[in-house]
Amino acid sequence: MRVVIARCSVDYHGALEAHLPLATRLLMVKADGSVLVHSDGGSYKPLNWMAPPCAMATTEPDEVEAEQGVQQVWQVSHAKRDDTLRVKIHEVLSDTSHDLGIDPGLVKDGVEAQLQALLAEHIGTLGDGYTLLRREYPTAIGPVDILCRDAGGATVAVEIKRRGDIDGVEQLTRYLELLNRDPHLAPVEGVFAAQLIKPQARVLAGDRGIRCVTLDYEALRGLDDAEARLF
């Protein structure tokens, strides 16, 4: 991972147009190719970013940019869309790189781990004819919660969350991009499963061809008999 602290301005062009004026910011370039722009606030969320697959090139500023004090330009281009992220760096305050190695992935506990175990046990919750292949299927970027097959024999990757938001959909998207490179698994479909799925996450999942499934924790545990309900 490369971590740069610099005075810079940022312009995003593509599905939307966004501009960050000149300020001191944290720039992160990850091994998967993603580039993130952070401020000293806003919790974990970047101000702007480019998700993989993308490529970054460092170029010299043009004459106008050079007159404005720009020393170098990062041009980040998405491989599948016309989106670009242009970072104009005026001054580099710190520039370090670190090899973080292979991440073992998130070790889940509590409700999410229980949901995963219960859904694996009752894989038919996802649909008739579904069969379990493996829990915690390993990949280079972390384990997929559940890998299974549908009634037609197609491979399905399942990401499980307690509360499903956009970050979870992005995570599943990265898994799907990687899994679909394996000819023994492809084509791989995605299922985003959670107890509660936010509307924005549903929209993003639908746009990416990912099916959303709302999980009933009590029903999976066998504590809620739907047929016995009055309402």
Side-chain angles (χ1 to χ4, degrees):
M1 178 185 289
R2 183 181 177 189
V3 179
V4 178
I5 298 176
R7 293 185 64 250
C8 62
S9 62
V10 183
D11 291 283
Y12 192 100
H13 302 285
L16 55 83
E17 304 290 320
H19 173 70
L20 294 173
L22 182 63
T24 301
R25 298 190 175 89
L26 167 64
L27 308 174
M28 299 175 64
V29 183
K30 295 189 176 182
D32 63 3
S34 57
V35 178
L36 303 94
V37 182
H38 285 271
S39 66
D40 200 12
S43 187
Y44 64 92
K45 292 186 177 180
L47 297 171
N48 215 325
W49 70 93
M50 182 69 77
C54 60
M56 187 183 86
T58 302
T59 63
E60 296 294 326
D62 58 32
E63 292 184 6
V64 174
E65 292 169 339
E67 290 177 358
Q68 295 172 345
V70 178
Q71 296 181 355
Q72 59 177 287
V73 177
W74 291 6
Q75 184 77 16
V76 189
S77 304
H78 199 274
K80 296 183 178 180
R81 304 190 300 269
D82 292 331
D83 295 23
T84 60
L85 184 72
R86 186 175 176 85
V87 183
K88 293 182 284 189
I89 297 176
H90 289 243
E91 180 184 7
V92 175
L93 304 177
S94 175
D95 188 344
T96 59
S97 296
H98 307 272
D99 184 0
L100 303 185
I102 298 176
D103 192 283
L106 179 66
V107 179
K108 298 182 178 181
D109 58 10
V111 175
E112 281 188 16
Q114 294 167 4
L115 279 171
Q116 183 191 118
L118 289 168
L119 184 58
E121 184 179 352
H122 304 284
I123 198 67
T125 302
L126 300 178
D128 293 336
Y130 271 69
T131 56
L132 177 69
L133 293 178
R134 179 171 175 174
R135 291 175 55 192
E136 299 289 337
Y137 183 85
T139 76
I141 57 174
V144 177
D145 287 336
I146 288 179
L147 198 70
C148 57
R149 294 195 187 280
D150 65 15
T155 308
V156 181
V158 186
E159 178 64 24
I160 300 170
K161 299 292 183 185
R162 185 175 66 85
R163 294 175 62 88
D165 56 21
I166 287 178
D167 288 344
V169 178
E170 293 283 8
Q171 183 180 358
L172 179 54
T173 299
R174 292 193 293 272
Y175 286 144
L176 291 172
E177 289 178 352
L178 193 63
L179 292 171
N180 273 303
R181 299 176 191 172
D182 187 338
H184 298 291
L185 297 176
V188 184
E189 299 177 356
V191 170
F192 188 53
Q195 287 181 282
L196 175 66
I197 302 177
K198 294 183 179 179
Q200 299 92 329
R202 285 187 180 276
V203 172
L204 182 60
D207 182 66
R208 297 185 177 178
I210 294 171
R211 181 163 68 97
C212 290
V213 174
T214 302
L215 299 177
D216 187 328
Y217 181 63
E218 298 301 325
L220 285 172
R221 293 179 62 198
L223 300 178
D224 181 25
D225 185 357
E227 294 182 358
R229 295 179 189 167
L230 292 177
F231 303 98

